[in-house]
Every structure is written in structure tokens, then in C-alpha cells.
Amino acid sequence: MFLLQRVGRMDGGNQSGDSEFLLMGLSEIPEQQQILFWMFLSMYLVAVVGNVLIILAIGSDSRLHTPMYFFLANLSLTDLFFVTNTIPKMLVNLQSQNKAISYTGCLTQLYFLVSLVALDNLILAAMAYDRYVAICHPLHYVTAMSPQLCILLLILCWALSILYGLIHTLLMTRVTFCGSRKIHYIFCEMYVLLRLACSNTQINHMVLIATGCFIFLTPLGFMIMSYVRIVRAILRIPSATGKYKTFSTCASHLAVVSLFYGTLGMVYLQPLHTYSMKDSVATVMYAVVTPMMNPFIYSLRNKDMHGALGRFLLGKAFQRST
């Protein structure tokens, strides 16, 4: 509420209440827009159904009420919010001649985008810690990963991500925009808005670098250290079967981390002045493809998840038949 009030008070010049941006998307050709509409609608539905099934399966099966699946359910919830924040507006734009998004709507979208990306990252770090304790200190796992600690870690993840989003969105309200307001992108994104600015954005850049190093590079460094120790512990296991079984418990998480940081790095590990339309493909990867793929990665070779999904779906089918 405070954020929207702050935005609403920006009533000077080009920051007036009736100011707006134009989300031009990936193409302005009608035939291509139709193809993109059906492609993104399909991806959105797959992402929503996949993540909702993960959440429901974990919630309904007491055997999955463990720290690893607790964090996985919250990761799926975050991904669900993430795709819903960006894709529906993009689908409307693809079917409409009016590509406008209000100034307030653009900053609101930016806030949730920034916050949810940070939350995804922090939850992945918490999951890495869970795998580290489970593999390197299995005898202390139950006490080390107590329900109270898991809830505390999740609250900390939410608090840091909310603060991160507020900082950058409030700083964006100080930026003045002039000239073309066309955003050749699928949503209101930090780098794109900074490129449209005609005021001094040095503070935004400094805070972006400082907070980005803390909220992204610190968890990434922690995850790398965790996996170095995990690999060492796995190598000490005498049997090949034991090595494979232990590694399989963290393989899905490692794949999701690689996909998340790989796509995110393609977009943000470059100077602002080099940011161009070609980076839209990478943005689609981390904004749409990653949330869509996460449920498949975690359920593809996970027998516990297979069983939970099967029991959940069979239970629903049985209820309908009776």
C-alpha cells in the first residue's frame, strides 16, 4: 500500500497518474503474435498445472512432510506467483491492439518480479543447506533441520526478498522517463526501465550492484561451498551404488540451480549499455521456461514424488467415481 501511495504521489511532469508504458513484446507482426500467444499460453498452463500439482501432492502426502519437500513446495508456490505476475498481461497484449501498461502497473509488476526472483534464489540456497546437512551430517539431520528452523529460514527468505524488491522499486520512483516509452520486452524489467530513463540513475546502479552481490552472489557462493562438501562426502562412500543413490538425492536441486543461474546470468551478467532485444530470449528462459521446467525436473526421477502424485491423482479420480 505504501508503495502504491508513493507511486500515486509522483504527479509531476512525465510521472503523472495518466502516464504509461507500451509493452511491445517480442514481435509486432500479427501472425507472429498469434503464434507467440498460443505458445506462451501453453507454457503458462503447463507451469501452473505442474507447480500446483507439486504443492498439492506434497501437502496431501504425510510421507513428504520433510524439510526438502517443504522448501520444494514453497519453490513451486514462488514459481506460480512468478509466472502469474508476467504472463497473463503479456497474453492480453498479444491479443489486443492496446499495449499500454500504467506507470503504477509497471512498477507493481517490477516489484513482484524483483522480489520473486530473489525469493527463488534464497529458497534454492535453503534447499542446498538441507542437502548438505542430509549428506554430510546425516546423524544430526532431524535435529539440525527442525520444523522451527525450516520456518525461520523461510521467513528470512521472504523478508529479504520483500526488502530487496521494495528498495529497487522505490528507487525507480525517483527516475524520470522521457521520450519513447516503448518497452520491446514481455514485461517491465529493471534494465529496460533504466535504459529508458533520462535522469541520473547512478544511485540505482550502485544499489543494484551492492544488493545484487548480497542477495544473489552470497547464496550462490554458499551453494557452491555446500556442493563441494557434498561431493567430498559422496566420494568417501565405498560402493558405487551408494555414491549414485546419495548423489541422486541432490541431482534435481543441482539441475534447477544450474538452470536458474544459467538463464539469469545470460541476462544480467553484462553491462547495461549492451542490453538489447536479443536478451529477450534469455529473459523468456528464466521468466517462463525455468518455472515451467522445475516441476518436471523434481518429479522426473524422484520415486517419492512419483508415488505422491500418483496417490493424489488416483485419490481424486476415486472420489469422482464414488
Side-chain angles (χ1 to χ4, degrees), residues 93-278:
N93 284 355
L94 287 170
Q95 289 293 92
S96 171
Q97 296 298 318
N98 182 13
K99 311 294 184 182
I101 181 171
S102 67
Y103 175 73
T104 302
C106 189
L107 289 195
T108 302
Q109 192 179 71
L110 175 69
Y111 166 73
F112 283 108
L113 175 71
V114 170
S115 299
L116 292 171
V117 170
L119 183 58
D120 243 356
N121 170 65
L122 293 170
I123 290 177
L124 287 173
M127 295 175 76
Y129 178 69
D130 170 76
R131 292 299 83 205
Y132 162 72
V133 175
I135 294 173
C136 298
H137 304 283
L139 298 179
H140 303 285
Y141 180 74
V142 175
T143 54
M145 295 301 296
S146 64
Q148 293 81 6
L149 178 62
C150 292
I151 293 172
L152 183 62
L153 285 174
L154 184 63
I155 292 173
L156 181 62
C157 291
W158 273 95
L160 288 174
S161 61
I162 289 171
L163 180 61
Y164 181 73
L166 279 175
I167 289 172
H168 289 294
T169 309
L170 291 175
L171 280 176
M172 193 63 73
T173 63
R174 302 169 59 89
V175 174
T176 302
F177 300 96
C178 52
S180 174
R181 286 175 171 256
K182 290 184 178 182
I183 299 176
H184 292 279
Y185 235 54
I186 60 176
F187 49 73
C188 292
E189 198 272 338
M190 181 76 69
Y191 270 19
V192 174
L193 291 178
L194 289 177
R195 288 202 69 176
L196 292 177
C198 56
S199 60
N200 191 334
T201 59
Q202 185 176 2
I203 294 177
N204 297 73
H205 291 142
M206 291 174 59
V207 174
L208 186 60
I209 293 172
T211 56
C213 289
F214 173 75
I215 209 79
F216 289 101
L217 296 186
T218 301
L220 176 60
F222 173 78
M223 283 187 270
I224 292 172
M225 289 176 59
S226 297
Y227 272 103
V228 167
R229 296 185 178 185
I230 286 172
V231 169
R232 287 178 179 173
I234 291 175
L235 291 176
R236 287 197 293 266
I237 298 174
S239 68
T241 304
K243 286 185 173 72
Y244 175 80
K245 186 177 180 180
T246 304
F247 180 76
S248 64
T249 63
C250 57
S252 297
H253 177 261
L254 191 58
V256 170
V257 169
S258 301
L259 181 62
F260 177 80
Y261 275 99
T263 54
L264 209 62
M266 289 168 64
V267 179
Y268 296 111
L269 290 183
Q270 59 177 305
L272 180 60
H273 68 272
T274 66
Y275 205 57
S276 63
M277 182 65 183
K278 65 181 176 62

Side-chain angles (χ1 to χ4, degrees), residues 23-56:
L23 286 173
M24 306 309 294
L26 300 178
S27 173
E28 298 181 43
I29 302 173
E31 292 78 11
Q32 292 183 357
Q33 287 183 348
Q34 284 300 312
I35 295 173
L36 289 171
F37 172 81
W38 291 110
M39 182 182 74
F40 282 114
L41 177 61
S42 301
M43 295 169 73
Y44 177 65
L45 292 176
V46 170
V48 169
V49 171
N51 283 292
V52 167
L53 282 176
I54 291 288
I55 295 168
L56 293 177

